[in-house]
Coordinates of all heavy atoms in Angstrom, one line a residue:
F277 N -61.9 -62.6 -15.6 CA -61.3 -62.7 -14.3 C -60.1 -63.5 -14.3 O -60.0 -64.6 -14.9 CB -62.3 -63.3 -13.3 CG -63.5 -62.5 -13.1 CD1 -64.7 -62.8 -13.6 CD2 -63.4 -61.3 -12.3 CE1 -65.9 -62.0 -13.4 CE2 -64.5 -60.5 -12.1 CZ -65.8 -60.9 -12.6
V278 N -59.1 -63.0 -13.6 CA -57.8 -63.7 -13.5 C -57.9 -65.1 -12.9 O -57.3 -66.0 -13.4 CB -56.8 -62.9 -12.6 CG1 -55.5 -63.6 -12.4 CG2 -56.5 -61.5 -13.3
Y279 N -58.8 -65.2 -11.9 CA -58.8 -66.5 -11.2 C -59.4 -67.6 -12.1 O -59.2 -68.8 -11.7 CB -59.7 -66.4 -9.9 CG -61.1 -65.9 -10.0 CD1 -62.1 -66.7 -10.4 CD2 -61.4 -64.6 -9.8 CE1 -63.4 -66.3 -10.6 CE2 -62.6 -64.1 -9.9 CZ -63.6 -64.9 -10.3 OH -64.9 -64.5 -10.4
K280 N -60.0 -67.3 -13.2 CA -60.5 -68.4 -14.1 C -59.4 -68.9 -15.0 O -59.4 -70.0 -15.5 CB -61.6 -67.8 -15.0 CG -62.9 -67.6 -14.2 CD -64.0 -67.1 -15.2 CE -65.2 -66.8 -14.4 NZ -66.3 -66.3 -15.3
R281 N -58.3 -68.1 -15.2 CA -57.3 -68.4 -16.1 C -55.9 -68.8 -15.5 O -55.0 -69.0 -16.2 CB -57.1 -67.3 -17.1 CG -58.3 -67.1 -18.0 CD -58.2 -66.0 -19.0 NE -59.1 -66.0 -20.0 CZ -60.4 -65.8 -19.9 NH1 -60.9 -65.7 -18.7 NH2 -61.2 -65.8 -20.9
I282 N -55.8 -68.8 -14.2 CA -54.5 -69.0 -13.6 C -54.0 -70.4 -13.9 O -54.7 -71.3 -13.9 CB -54.6 -68.7 -12.1 CG1 -53.3 -68.6 -11.4 CG2 -55.5 -69.8 -11.4 CD1 -53.3 -68.1 -10.0
R283 N -52.7 -70.4 -14.2 CA -52.0 -71.7 -14.4 C -50.8 -71.7 -13.5 O -49.9 -70.8 -13.6 CB -51.6 -71.9 -15.9 CG -52.8 -71.9 -16.8 CD -53.5 -73.2 -16.9 NE -54.4 -73.2 -17.9 CZ -55.8 -73.1 -17.7 NH1 -56.2 -72.8 -16.5 NH2 -56.6 -73.1 -18.7
L284 N -50.6 -72.7 -12.7 CA -49.4 -72.7 -11.8 C -48.7 -74.1 -12.0 O -49.3 -75.1 -12.3 CB -49.9 -72.6 -10.3 CG -50.7 -71.4 -10.0 CD1 -51.2 -71.5 -8.6 CD2 -49.7 -70.2 -10.0
S285 N -47.4 -74.0 -11.8 CA -46.6 -75.3 -11.9 C -46.9 -76.1 -10.6 O -46.9 -77.3 -10.7 CB -45.1 -75.0 -12.0 OG -44.7 -74.2 -10.9
D286 N -47.1 -75.5 -9.5 CA -47.5 -76.3 -8.3 C -48.8 -75.6 -7.8 O -48.7 -74.6 -7.1 CB -46.4 -76.2 -7.2 CG -46.7 -76.9 -6.0 OD1 -47.7 -77.7 -6.0 OD2 -46.0 -76.8 -5.0
P287 N -49.9 -76.3 -8.1 CA -51.2 -75.6 -7.8 C -51.6 -75.7 -6.3 O -52.6 -75.1 -5.9 CB -52.2 -76.4 -8.7 CG -51.6 -77.7 -8.8 CD -50.1 -77.5 -8.8
L288 N -50.9 -76.5 -5.5 CA -51.2 -76.6 -4.1 C -50.7 -75.5 -3.3 O -49.5 -75.2 -3.3 CB -50.7 -77.9 -3.5 CG -51.3 -79.2 -4.0 CD1 -50.6 -80.4 -3.4 CD2 -52.8 -79.3 -3.8
V289 N -51.6 -74.8 -2.6 CA -51.2 -73.7 -1.7 C -52.0 -73.8 -0.4 O -53.1 -74.3 -0.3 CB -51.6 -72.3 -2.4 CG1 -50.8 -72.1 -3.7 CG2 -53.1 -72.1 -2.6
E290 N -51.3 -73.2 0.6 CA -52.0 -73.1 1.9 C -52.3 -71.7 2.1 O -51.5 -70.8 1.8 CB -51.1 -73.6 3.1 CG -51.7 -73.5 4.4 CD -50.9 -74.0 5.6 OE1 -50.4 -75.2 5.5 OE2 -50.6 -73.2 6.5
M291 N -53.5 -71.4 2.6 CA -53.9 -70.1 2.9 C -54.6 -70.0 4.2 O -55.1 -71.1 4.7 CB -54.8 -69.5 1.8 CG -56.2 -70.0 1.7 SD -57.3 -69.3 0.4 CE -57.7 -67.7 1.2
K292 N -54.7 -68.9 4.8 CA -55.4 -68.7 6.1 C -56.8 -68.1 5.8 O -56.8 -67.1 5.1 CB -54.6 -67.8 7.0 CG -53.3 -68.4 7.4 CD -53.2 -68.6 8.9 CE -51.8 -69.2 9.1 NZ -51.7 -69.8 10.3
V293 N -57.8 -68.7 6.4 CA -59.1 -68.2 6.3 C -59.6 -67.9 7.7 O -59.7 -68.8 8.5 CB -60.1 -69.2 5.6 CG1 -61.5 -68.7 5.6 CG2 -59.6 -69.5 4.2
C294 N -59.7 -66.6 8.0 CA -60.1 -66.2 9.4 C -59.1 -66.8 10.4 O -59.5 -67.2 11.5 CB -61.5 -66.6 9.7 SG -62.7 -65.9 8.7
G295 N -57.8 -66.9 10.0 CA -56.8 -67.4 10.9 C -56.6 -68.9 10.9 O -55.7 -69.4 11.5
F296 N -57.4 -69.6 10.2 CA -57.3 -71.1 10.1 C -56.7 -71.5 8.8 O -57.1 -71.0 7.7 CB -58.7 -71.7 10.2 CG -59.4 -71.5 11.5 CD1 -60.3 -70.4 11.7 CD2 -59.2 -72.3 12.6 CE1 -60.9 -70.1 12.9 CE2 -59.8 -72.0 13.8 CZ -60.7 -71.0 14.0
P297 N -55.7 -72.4 8.8 CA -55.0 -72.8 7.6 C -55.9 -73.8 6.8 O -56.5 -74.7 7.4 CB -53.7 -73.5 8.1 CG -54.1 -74.0 9.5 CD -55.1 -73.0 10.0
I298 N -56.0 -73.6 5.5 CA -56.6 -74.6 4.7 C -55.7 -74.8 3.4 O -55.0 -73.9 3.0 CB -58.1 -74.2 4.2 CG1 -58.1 -73.0 3.4 CG2 -59.0 -74.1 5.4 CD1 -59.4 -72.7 2.8
M299 N -55.8 -76.0 2.9 CA -55.0 -76.3 1.7 C -56.0 -76.3 0.5 O -57.1 -76.8 0.5 CB -54.4 -77.7 1.8 CG -53.3 -77.9 2.7 SD -51.9 -76.8 2.4 CE -51.3 -77.5 0.8
L300 N -55.5 -75.6 -0.6 CA -56.3 -75.5 -1.8 C -55.5 -76.0 -3.0 O -54.3 -75.7 -3.1 CB -56.7 -74.0 -2.1 CG -57.5 -73.3 -1.0 CD1 -57.7 -71.9 -1.4 CD2 -58.8 -74.0 -0.8
D301 N -56.1 -76.6 -3.9 CA -55.6 -77.1 -5.2 C -56.1 -76.1 -6.2 O -57.2 -76.2 -6.7 CB -56.0 -78.5 -5.5 CG -55.4 -79.0 -6.8 OD1 -54.8 -78.2 -7.6 OD2 -55.5 -80.2 -7.1
L302 N -55.3 -75.2 -6.6 CA -55.7 -74.1 -7.5 C -55.9 -74.6 -9.0 O -56.4 -73.8 -9.8 CB -54.7 -72.9 -7.5 CG -54.6 -72.2 -6.2 CD1 -53.7 -71.0 -6.3 CD2 -55.9 -71.8 -5.6
S303 N -55.7 -75.9 -9.2 CA -56.1 -76.4 -10.5 C -57.6 -76.6 -10.6 O -58.1 -76.8 -11.7 CB -55.4 -77.7 -10.8 OG -55.8 -78.7 -9.9
E304 N -58.3 -76.5 -9.5 CA -59.8 -76.7 -9.4 C -60.4 -75.3 -9.4 O -60.1 -74.5 -8.5 CB -60.2 -77.5 -8.2 CG -59.7 -78.9 -8.3 CD -60.1 -79.8 -7.2 OE1 -61.3 -79.6 -6.7 OE2 -59.4 -80.6 -6.7
R305 N -61.3 -75.0 -10.3 CA -61.9 -73.7 -10.4 C -62.6 -73.2 -9.1 O -62.4 -72.1 -8.7 CB -62.9 -73.7 -11.5 CG -63.5 -72.3 -11.7 CD -64.6 -72.1 -12.7 NE -64.5 -73.1 -13.8 CZ -65.5 -73.3 -14.7 NH1 -66.6 -72.6 -14.6 NH2 -65.4 -74.1 -15.6
E306 N -63.4 -74.1 -8.5 CA -64.0 -73.7 -7.2 C -63.1 -73.3 -6.1 O -63.3 -72.3 -5.4 CB -64.9 -74.9 -6.7 CG -65.6 -74.6 -5.4 CD -66.4 -75.8 -5.0 OE1 -65.8 -76.7 -4.4 OE2 -67.6 -75.9 -5.3
L307 N -61.9 -74.0 -6.1 CA -60.9 -73.6 -5.1 C -60.2 -72.3 -5.4 O -59.7 -71.6 -4.5 CB -60.0 -74.8 -4.9 CG -60.6 -76.1 -4.4 CD1 -59.6 -77.2 -4.2 CD2 -61.5 -75.9 -3.2
R308 N -60.1 -72.0 -6.7 CA -59.5 -70.7 -7.1 C -60.4 -69.6 -6.6 O -60.0 -68.5 -6.2 CB -59.3 -70.7 -8.6 CG -58.1 -71.5 -9.1 CD -57.7 -71.1 -10.5 NE -58.8 -71.3 -11.5 CZ -59.0 -72.3 -12.2 NH1 -58.3 -73.4 -12.1 NH2 -60.0 -72.4 -13.1
Y309 N -61.8 -69.8 -6.7 CA -62.7 -68.8 -6.3 C -62.5 -68.6 -4.8 O -62.5 -67.4 -4.3 CB -64.2 -69.3 -6.5 CG -64.6 -69.4 -7.9 CD1 -65.7 -70.2 -8.3 CD2 -64.0 -68.7 -8.9 CE1 -66.1 -70.3 -9.6 CE2 -64.4 -68.8 -10.2 CZ -65.5 -69.5 -10.6 OH -65.9 -69.6 -11.8
M310 N -62.3 -69.6 -4.0 CA -62.0 -69.5 -2.6 C -60.7 -68.7 -2.4 O -60.7 -67.7 -1.6 CB -61.8 -70.8 -1.9 CG -63.1 -71.6 -1.8 SD -62.7 -73.3 -1.1 CE -64.2 -74.1 -1.4
Y311 N -59.7 -69.0 -3.1 CA -58.4 -68.3 -3.0 C -58.5 -66.8 -3.2 O -57.9 -66.0 -2.5 CB -57.4 -69.0 -3.9 CG -56.0 -68.4 -3.8 CD1 -55.2 -68.8 -2.7 CD2 -55.4 -67.6 -4.7 CE1 -53.9 -68.4 -2.6 CE2 -54.1 -67.1 -4.6 CZ -53.4 -67.5 -3.5 OH -52.1 -67.0 -3.4
F312 N -59.3 -66.4 -4.2 CA -59.4 -65.0 -4.6 C -60.6 -64.3 -3.9 O -60.9 -63.2 -4.2 CB -59.5 -64.9 -6.1 CG -58.2 -65.1 -6.8 CD1 -57.9 -66.3 -7.4 CD2 -57.2 -64.2 -6.7 CE1 -56.7 -66.5 -8.1 CE2 -55.9 -64.4 -7.3 CZ -55.7 -65.6 -8.0
G313 N -61.2 -65.0 -2.9 CA -62.3 -64.4 -2.2 C -63.6 -64.2 -2.9 O -64.4 -63.3 -2.6
A314 N -63.8 -65.0 -4.0 CA -65.0 -64.8 -4.8 C -65.9 -66.0 -4.7 O -66.7 -66.3 -5.5 CB -64.6 -64.7 -6.3
Y315 N -65.9 -66.7 -3.5 CA -66.6 -68.0 -3.3 C -67.8 -67.7 -2.4 O -67.7 -67.3 -1.3 CB -65.7 -69.0 -2.7 CG -66.4 -70.4 -2.5 CD1 -66.6 -71.2 -3.5 CD2 -66.7 -70.8 -1.2 CE1 -67.2 -72.5 -3.3 CE2 -67.3 -72.0 -1.0 CZ -67.6 -72.8 -2.0 OH -68.2 -74.0 -1.8
E316 N -69.0 -68.1 -2.9 CA -70.3 -68.1 -2.1 C -70.5 -66.9 -1.2 O -70.7 -67.1 0.0 CB -70.3 -69.4 -1.3 CG -70.2 -70.7 -2.1 CD -71.4 -71.0 -2.9 OE1 -72.4 -70.3 -2.8 OE2 -71.4 -72.0 -3.7
Q317 N -70.4 -65.7 -1.8 CA -70.5 -64.5 -1.0 C -71.8 -64.4 -0.2 O -71.9 -63.9 0.9 CB -70.2 -63.3 -1.8 CG -68.8 -63.1 -2.1 CD -67.9 -62.9 -0.9 OE1 -68.2 -62.1 0.0 NE2 -66.9 -63.8 -0.8
S318 N -72.9 -64.8 -0.8 CA -74.2 -64.7 -0.2 C -74.2 -65.7 1.0 O -74.8 -65.4 2.1 CB -75.4 -65.0 -1.1 OG -75.2 -66.3 -1.7
E319 N -73.6 -66.9 0.9 CA -73.6 -67.8 2.0 C -72.7 -67.2 3.2 O -73.1 -67.3 4.3 CB -73.0 -69.2 1.6 CG -74.0 -70.2 1.2 CD -73.3 -71.5 1.0 OE1 -72.6 -72.0 2.0 OE2 -73.5 -72.1 0.0
I320 N -71.6 -66.6 2.8 CA -70.7 -66.1 3.8 C -71.4 -64.9 4.6 O -71.4 -64.8 5.8 CB -69.4 -65.6 3.2 CG1 -68.6 -66.8 2.7 CG2 -68.6 -64.8 4.1 CD1 -67.4 -66.5 1.8
N321 N -72.1 -64.1 3.8 CA -72.9 -63.0 4.4 C -73.9 -63.6 5.4 O -74.2 -63.0 6.5 CB -73.5 -62.1 3.4 CG -72.5 -61.3 2.6 OD1 -71.4 -61.1 3.0 ND2 -72.9 -60.9 1.4
F322 N -74.6 -64.6 5.0 CA -75.6 -65.3 5.8 C -75.0 -65.8 7.1 O -75.5 -65.6 8.2 CB -76.3 -66.5 5.1 CG -77.3 -67.2 5.9 CD1 -78.6 -66.8 6.0 CD2 -76.9 -68.3 6.6 CE1 -79.5 -67.6 6.7 CE2 -77.7 -69.1 7.4 CZ -79.1 -68.7 7.5
L323 N -73.8 -66.4 7.0 CA -73.1 -67.0 8.2 C -72.8 -65.8 9.2 O -73.0 -65.9 10.4 CB -71.9 -67.8 7.8 CG -72.2 -69.0 7.0 CD1 -70.9 -69.6 6.5 CD2 -72.9 -70.0 7.9
H324 N -72.2 -64.8 8.6 CA -71.8 -63.6 9.5 C -73.0 -63.0 10.2 O -72.9 -62.5 11.3 CB -71.1 -62.6 8.7 CG -69.7 -62.9 8.3 ND1 -68.7 -63.2 9.3 CD2 -69.0 -63.1 7.1 CE1 -67.6 -63.5 8.7 NE2 -67.7 -63.5 7.4
K325 N -74.1 -63.0 9.5 CA -75.4 -62.4 10.0 C -76.0 -63.2 11.1 O -76.5 -62.7 12.1 CB -76.4 -62.2 8.9 CG -77.6 -61.5 9.4 CD -78.6 -61.2 8.2 CE -79.9 -60.6 8.7 NZ -80.8 -60.4 7.5
H326 N -75.9 -64.6 11.0 CA -76.7 -65.4 11.9 C -75.9 -66.2 13.0 O -76.5 -66.6 13.9 CB -77.5 -66.4 11.1 CG -78.6 -65.7 10.3 ND1 -79.7 -65.2 10.8 CD2 -78.6 -65.5 8.9 CE1 -80.4 -64.7 9.8 NE2 -79.8 -64.8 8.7
L327 N -74.6 -66.3 12.8 CA -73.8 -67.1 13.8 C -73.3 -66.1 14.8 O -72.9 -65.0 14.6 CB -72.6 -67.8 13.1 CG -73.0 -68.9 12.1 CD1 -71.7 -69.5 11.6 CD2 -73.9 -70.0 12.8
R328 N -73.3 -66.6 16.1 CA -72.9 -65.8 17.2 C -71.9 -66.6 18.1 O -71.9 -67.8 18.1 CB -74.1 -65.5 18.1 CG -75.2 -64.7 17.4 CD -74.7 -63.2 17.2 NE -75.7 -62.5 16.5 CZ -75.6 -62.1 15.2 NH1 -74.5 -62.5 14.5 NH2 -76.5 -61.4 14.6
P329 N -71.1 -65.9 18.9 CA -70.1 -66.6 19.8 C -70.8 -67.5 20.7 O -71.9 -67.3 21.1 CB -69.5 -65.4 20.5 CG -69.6 -64.2 19.6 CD -70.9 -64.4 18.9
G330 N -70.2 -68.7 20.9 CA -70.7 -69.7 21.8 C -71.6 -70.7 21.1 O -72.0 -71.7 21.8
Q331 N -72.0 -70.5 19.9 CA -72.9 -71.5 19.2 C -72.1 -72.7 18.8 O -70.9 -72.7 18.6 CB -73.6 -70.9 18.0 CG -74.6 -69.8 18.3 CD -75.2 -69.2 17.1 OE1 -74.6 -69.0 16.1 NE2 -76.5 -68.9 17.2
I332 N -72.9 -73.8 18.6 CA -72.4 -75.1 18.1 C -73.0 -75.2 16.7 O -74.2 -75.1 16.5 CB -72.7 -76.3 19.0 CG1 -72.1 -76.1 20.3 CG2 -72.3 -77.6 18.3 CD1 -72.5 -77.1 21.4
V333 N -72.1 -75.5 15.7 CA -72.5 -75.6 14.3 C -72.0 -76.9 13.7 O -70.9 -77.4 14.1 CB -71.9 -74.4 13.5 CG1 -72.3 -74.4 12.1 CG2 -72.2 -73.1 14.1
I334 N -72.8 -77.4 12.8 CA -72.4 -78.6 12.0 C -72.2 -78.2 10.6 O -73.2 -77.7 10.0 CB -73.4 -79.8 12.2 CG1 -73.5 -80.2 13.7 CG2 -73.0 -81.0 11.4 CD1 -74.6 -81.1 14.0
D335 N -71.1 -78.5 10.0 CA -70.8 -78.3 8.5 C -70.8 -79.6 7.8 O -69.8 -80.3 7.9 CB -69.5 -77.5 8.4 CG -69.3 -77.1 6.9 OD1 -70.1 -77.4 6.1 OD2 -68.2 -76.5 6.7
V336 N -71.9 -80.0 7.2 CA -72.0 -81.3 6.5 C -71.6 -81.1 5.1 O -72.2 -80.2 4.4 CB -73.4 -81.9 6.6 CG1 -73.5 -83.2 5.9 CG2 -73.8 -82.1 8.1
G337 N -70.6 -81.8 4.6 CA -70.0 -81.6 3.3 C -69.1 -80.4 3.3 O -69.1 -79.5 2.5
A338 N -68.1 -80.5 4.2 CA -67.2 -79.4 4.5 C -66.2 -79.1 3.4 O -65.5 -78.1 3.4 CB -66.5 -79.6 5.8
N339 N -66.0 -80.1 2.5 CA -65.0 -79.9 1.4 C -63.7 -79.7 2.1 O -63.2 -80.4 2.9 CB -65.5 -78.8 0.5 CG -64.8 -78.8 -0.9 OD1 -63.5 -78.9 -0.9 ND2 -65.5 -78.8 -1.9
V340 N -63.0 -78.6 1.7 CA -61.6 -78.3 2.2 C -61.6 -77.5 3.5 O -60.6 -77.3 4.1 CB -60.7 -77.6 1.2 CG1 -60.5 -78.5 0.0 CG2 -61.3 -76.3 0.8
G341 N -62.8 -77.1 3.9 CA -62.9 -76.4 5.2 C -63.0 -74.9 5.1 O -62.9 -74.2 6.1
Y342 N -63.2 -74.3 3.9 CA -63.3 -72.9 3.7 C -64.4 -72.3 4.6 O -64.2 -71.4 5.4 CB -63.5 -72.6 2.3 CG -63.4 -71.1 1.9 CD1 -62.2 -70.4 1.8 CD2 -64.6 -70.4 1.7 CE1 -62.2 -69.1 1.5 CE2 -64.6 -69.1 1.4 CZ -63.4 -68.4 1.3 OH -63.4 -67.1 1.0
L343 N -65.6 -72.8 4.4 CA -66.8 -72.2 5.1 C -66.7 -72.7 6.6 O -67.1 -71.9 7.5 CB -68.1 -72.7 4.5 CG -68.4 -72.1 3.2 CD1 -69.7 -72.6 2.6 CD2 -68.4 -70.5 3.2
T344 N -66.1 -73.8 6.9 CA -65.8 -74.3 8.2 C -65.0 -73.2 9.0 O -65.3 -72.9 10.2 CB -65.1 -75.6 8.3 OG1 -65.8 -76.5 7.4 CG2 -65.0 -76.2 9.6
A345 N -64.0 -72.7 8.4 CA -63.1 -71.7 9.0 C -63.9 -70.4 9.3 O -63.7 -69.8 10.3 CB -61.9 -71.4 8.1
I346 N -64.7 -70.0 8.4 CA -65.5 -68.8 8.5 C -66.5 -69.0 9.7 O -66.7 -68.2 10.6 CB -66.2 -68.4 7.2 CG1 -65.2 -68.0 6.2 CG2 -67.3 -67.4 7.5 CD1 -65.7 -67.8 4.8
M347 N -67.1 -70.2 9.8 CA -68.0 -70.5 10.9 C -67.3 -70.5 12.2 O -67.8 -70.0 13.2 CB -68.7 -71.9 10.6 CG -69.7 -71.9 9.5 SD -70.5 -73.5 9.4 CE -70.3 -73.9 7.7
A348 N -66.1 -71.2 12.2 CA -65.3 -71.3 13.5 C -65.0 -69.9 14.0 O -65.0 -69.6 15.2 CB -64.1 -72.1 13.2
S349 N -64.6 -69.0 13.1 CA -64.3 -67.6 13.5 C -65.5 -66.9 14.1 O -65.4 -66.2 15.0 CB -63.8 -66.9 12.3 OG -63.5 -65.5 12.6
A350 N -66.7 -67.2 13.5 CA -67.9 -66.5 13.9 C -68.4 -67.0 15.3 O -69.0 -66.2 16.0 CB -69.0 -66.7 12.8
V351 N -68.1 -68.2 15.6 CA -68.7 -68.8 16.9 C -67.7 -68.7 18.0 O -68.0 -69.1 19.2 CB -69.2 -70.2 16.7 CG1 -70.3 -70.2 15.7 CG2 -68.1 -71.2 16.4
K352 N -66.5 -68.2 17.8 CA -65.5 -68.1 18.9 C -65.7 -66.8 19.6 O -66.2 -65.9 19.0 CB -64.1 -68.3 18.5 CG -63.5 -67.3 17.6 CD -62.1 -67.6 17.2 CE -61.5 -66.4 16.5 NZ -60.2 -66.6 16.1
P353 N -65.5 -66.7 20.8 CA -65.0 -67.7 21.7 C -66.2 -68.6 22.3 O -67.3 -68.2 22.3 CB -64.4 -66.9 22.9 CG -65.2 -65.7 23.0 CD -65.6 -65.4 21.5
G354 N -65.8 -69.8 22.6 CA -66.8 -70.7 23.3 C -67.6 -71.5 22.4 O -68.2 -72.5 22.8
G355 N -67.6 -71.3 21.1 CA -68.3 -72.1 20.1 C -67.5 -73.2 19.6 O -66.4 -73.4 19.9
K356 N -68.2 -74.1 18.8 CA -67.5 -75.2 18.2 C -68.2 -75.5 16.9 O -69.4 -75.4 16.7 CB -67.7 -76.4 19.1 CG -66.9 -77.6 18.7 CD -66.6 -78.5 19.9 CE -65.6 -79.5 19.5 NZ -64.6 -79.7 20.5
V357 N -67.3 -76.0 15.9 CA -67.8 -76.4 14.6 C -67.4 -77.8 14.4 O -66.2 -78.2 14.5 CB -67.3 -75.5 13.5 CG1 -67.7 -76.0 12.1 CG2 -67.6 -74.0 13.6
Y358 N -68.4 -78.7 14.1 CA -68.1 -80.1 13.7 C -68.2 -80.1 12.2 O -69.3 -79.8 11.6 CB -69.2 -81.0 14.3 CG -69.1 -81.1 15.8 CD1 -69.8 -80.2 16.7 CD2 -68.2 -81.9 16.4 CE1 -69.7 -80.3 18.0 CE2 -68.0 -82.0 17.8 CZ -68.8 -81.2 18.6 OH -68.7 -81.2 20.0
A359 N -67.1 -80.5 11.6 CA -67.0 -80.5 10.1 C -67.0 -82.0 9.6 O -66.1 -82.7 10.1 CB -65.8 -79.7 9.6
L360 N -67.9 -82.3 8.7 CA -68.0 -83.7 8.2 C -67.8 -83.6 6.7 O -68.4 -82.8 6.0 CB -69.3 -84.3 8.5 CG -69.7 -84.2 10.0 CD1 -71.2 -84.6 10.2 CD2 -68.8 -85.1 10.8
E361 N -66.9 -84.5 6.2 CA -66.7 -84.6 4.7 C -66.6 -86.0 4.3 O -65.7 -86.7 4.8 CB -65.4 -83.8 4.3 CG -65.0 -83.9 2.9 CD -66.2 -83.6 1.9 OE1 -66.7 -82.5 2.0 OE2 -66.5 -84.5 1.1
P362 N -67.5 -86.5 3.5 CA -67.5 -87.9 3.2 C -66.4 -88.3 2.2 O -66.0 -89.5 2.1 CB -68.9 -88.2 2.6 CG -69.3 -86.9 2.1 CD -68.7 -85.9 3.0
N363 N -65.8 -87.4 1.5 CA -64.7 -87.7 0.5 C -63.4 -87.8 1.3 O -62.9 -86.8 1.7 CB -64.7 -86.6 -0.5 CG -63.6 -86.8 -1.6 OD1 -62.7 -87.7 -1.4 ND2 -63.7 -86.1 -2.7
P364 N -62.8 -89.0 1.3 CA -61.6 -89.2 2.1 C -60.4 -88.4 1.5 O -59.5 -88.1 2.3 CB -61.3 -90.7 2.1 CG -62.2 -91.2 1.0 CD -63.3 -90.2 0.8
A365 N -60.5 -88.0 0.3 CA -59.4 -87.2 -0.3 C -59.4 -85.8 0.3 O -58.3 -85.1 0.3 CB -59.5 -87.2 -1.8
L366 N -60.5 -85.3 0.7 CA -60.6 -84.0 1.3 C -60.5 -83.9 2.8 O -60.1 -82.9 3.4 CB -61.9 -83.3 0.8 CG -62.1 -83.2 -0.7 CD1 -63.5 -82.7 -1.0 CD2 -61.1 -82.2 -1.3
S367 N -60.9 -85.0 3.5 CA -61.1 -84.9 4.9 C -59.8 -84.8 5.7 O -59.9 -84.3 6.8 CB -61.9 -86.1 5.4 OG -61.3 -87.3 5.0
P368 N -58.6 -85.2 5.2 CA -57.4 -85.0 6.1 C -57.2 -83.6 6.5 O -56.7 -83.3 7.6 CB -56.3 -85.5 5.2 CG -56.9 -86.5 4.3 CD -58.3 -86.0 4.0
G369 N -57.5 -82.6 5.7 CA -57.3 -81.2 6.0 C -58.2 -80.7 7.1 O -58.0 -79.7 7.7
L370 N -59.3 -81.5 7.4 CA -60.3 -81.1 8.4 C -59.9 -81.6 9.8 O -60.6 -81.3 10.7 CB -61.7 -81.6 8.0 CG -62.2 -81.1 6.7 CD1 -63.6 -81.7 6.4 CD2 -62.4 -79.6 6.8
Q371 N -58.8 -82.3 9.9 CA -58.5 -82.9 11.2 C -57.9 -81.9 12.1 O -57.8 -82.2 13.3 CB -57.5 -84.0 11.0 CG -58.0 -85.2 10.1 CD -59.2 -85.8 10.6 OE1 -59.3 -86.1 11.8 NE2 -60.2 -86.1 9.7
K372 N -57.6 -80.7 11.7 CA -56.9 -79.7 12.5 C -57.9 -79.1 13.4 O -59.1 -78.9 13.2 CB -56.3 -78.6 11.6 CG -55.2 -79.2 10.8 CD -54.6 -78.1 10.0 CE -53.5 -78.7 9.1 NZ -52.8 -77.8 8.3

């Protein structure tokens, strides 16, 4: 797979997930999976199946906000997602 071998001079990229901007460092394998749409597909399918507009959701351990954005898209309009990330290096991106 290409996403396992990618090398970039500037690995920081911003991408939109369900219309929400998130920052990814493509030097990290897990974040490359997110960038190429190969991240936690069974979790994403579960979220799409069970979340409905207007619901309130808590994302504990939100990391960079990838699944948070998917949840936010699934619960709008009228819903809300509270994203919590204990790692201060990751949490600034969740302030949006």
Side-chain angles (χ1 to χ4, degrees):
F277 293 107
V278 173
Y279 56 83
K280 290 182 181 179
R281 292 183 168 60
I282 192 168
R283 300 281 187 259
L284 301 171
S285 59
D286 182 10
L288 294 177
V289 298
E290 182 179 301
M291 71 177 285
K292 297 240 181 199
V293 176
C294 298
F296 297 93
I298 63 169
M299 289 299 296
L300 299 176
D301 180 350
L302 297 184
S303 67
E304 296 183 36
R305 183 184 331 170
E306 180 180 80
L307 302 184
R308 287 194 303 267
Y309 293 159
M310 290 176 192
Y311 185 76
F312 287 104
Y315 180 76
E316 302 290 355
Q317 284 301 304
S318 59
E319 266 190 53
I320 292 168
N321 292 339
F322 176 88
L323 294 172
H324 284 300
K325 182 177 179 182
H326 294 286
L327 295 180
R328 299 287 177 256
Q331 290 181 322
I332 297 173
V333 181
I334 300 172
D335 185 0
V336 178
N339 197 309
V340 296
Y342 184 80
L343 293 177
T344 307
I346 292 169
M347 289 183 231
S349 176
V351 300
K352 68 180 187 181
K356 189 157 189 135
V357 177
Y358 293 95
L360 308 169
E361 174 52 56
N363 183 343
L366 299 174
S367 59
L370 297 175
Q371 301 301 317
K372 297 179 181 183

